[in-house]
Amino acid sequence: MRYPLRQSIALLLCTCSFTLIAQKNITIQQITDPLVIDGIHEPEKWIGMQPATGLIQMEPIPGESASSKSEFYIGYDQENIYISAILYQKTDVIASIQNRDNLSESDDCITLILDSYNDKRSGYGFWINPLGTQADFRINDDGRSIDRNWDTEWESAVQVNDGNWTVEIRLPFTSIRYNPDNKEWGVNFGRLIRENFEKSYWAGEMTDDF
């Protein structure tokens, strides 16, 4: 399946704001106080910022709203992109994978996709499960080629709570390639809930094995 990266993100470093445009709209501001990546969501650092939410099922009921709420907050400073996610869940989280880059559908997980050239043909993927295990990959050739051997520097942490699990990510701009003259990026979020084999996405359907 192709990897449609359908959501645009305007990267406006000079004016200290992000704007997500296209099918869904969200404005994201610069973070003045960098996150401490410990997996604990800090609401005070996201005041006034609207999260990306309202994920849609790929499976088991395509097109239906996701059964559990997800909130993805995005911010940045001059050096990094930051993600803070709250993944609400009525059942216990399921996770067993501890080896980096060992992608599997056996665990609850989330995936971040960035199309830093906004060409809808290439991008970068970042996967994390409730144990904090990371995987990263590069998407080429309109999604027909996914390089799971690609590795880059990024930091993440997870906290499992009563009724949700939370994730924080710090991705340095130096860890990915992008055109500094291109002010629009693509972004997507995916989530897998192992308990009911549910896959959902935010901005556009993802591959079967995200």
Side-chain angles (χ1 to χ4, degrees):
M1 182 182 294
R2 296 167 68 183
Y3 242 107
L5 305 173
R6 300 175 180 174
Q7 192 75 15
S8 294
I9 184 169
L11 182 59
L12 306 175
L13 291 176
C14 295
T15 58
C16 299
S17 68
F18 274 123
T19 301
L20 295 179
I21 59 175
Q23 299 154 324
K24 299 180 180 179
N25 298 294
I26 184 170
T27 299
I28 306 167
Q29 300 173 358
Q30 185 177 25
I31 291 178
T32 56
D33 184 13
L35 270 64
V36 175
I37 306 302
D38 56 11
I40 301 173
H41 180 72
E42 300 172 273
E44 67 277 8
K45 293 192 176 182
W46 301 96
I47 293 174
M49 301 187 193
Q50 295 298 314
T53 188
L55 273 63
I56 303 298
Q57 291 186 41
M58 288 174 58
E59 299 174 5
I61 310 175
E64 290 290 317
S65 297
S67 63
S68 295
K69 185 178 180 180
S70 305
E71 297 180 349
F72 295 89
Y73 293 83
I74 315 174
Y76 75 97
D77 58 23
Q78 295 299 317
E79 297 180 352
N80 306 291
I81 297 170
Y82 297 98
I83 308 291
S84 185
I86 307 174
L87 300 314
Y88 296 93
Q89 194 153 321
K90 300 174 184 177
T91 58
D92 292 339
V93 299
I94 297 174
S96 60
I97 297 172
Q98 299 184 56
N99 294 328
R100 195 181 194 280
D101 287 331
N102 187 13
L103 292 174
S104 172
E105 296 184 5
S106 65
D107 287 5
D108 292 324
C109 69
I110 61 168
T111 303
L112 163 68
I113 303 294
L114 288 177
D115 177 6
S116 58
Y117 286 97
N118 197 29
D119 59 10
K120 301 177 178 62
R121 295 180 298 155
S122 62
Y124 302 95
F126 304 90
W127 176 101
I128 189 166
N129 74 359
L131 294 177
T133 306
Q134 297 179 338
D136 44 24
F137 51 92
R138 186 167 52 192
I139 305 159
N140 299 302
D141 194 21
D142 205 14
R144 286 182 285 267
S145 172
I146 299 177
D147 180 6
R148 292 185 174 88
N149 293 318
W150 178 79
D151 289 305
T152 196
E153 177 192 352
W154 57 295
E155 182 183 3
S156 63
V158 173
Q159 182 82 20
V160 178
N161 312 297
D162 184 16
N164 66 59
W165 57 291
T166 52
V167 180
E168 289 186 314
I169 296 172
R170 181 185 67 86
L171 175 66
F173 285 110
T174 54
S175 293
I176 57 176
R177 294 183 178 181
Y178 61 95
N179 181 353
D181 295 326
N182 180 13
K183 302 304 180 182
E184 292 187 352
W185 290 24
V187 65
N188 203 357
F189 302 100
R191 182 177 179 186
L192 173 64
I193 301 176
R194 181 64 177 81
E195 178 70 24
N196 59 352
F197 299 96
E198 180 179 299
K199 294 180 181 180
S200 57
Y201 61 86
W202 181 55
E205 290 190 9
M206 307 175 82
T207 62
D208 289 333
D209 59 350
F210 78 85

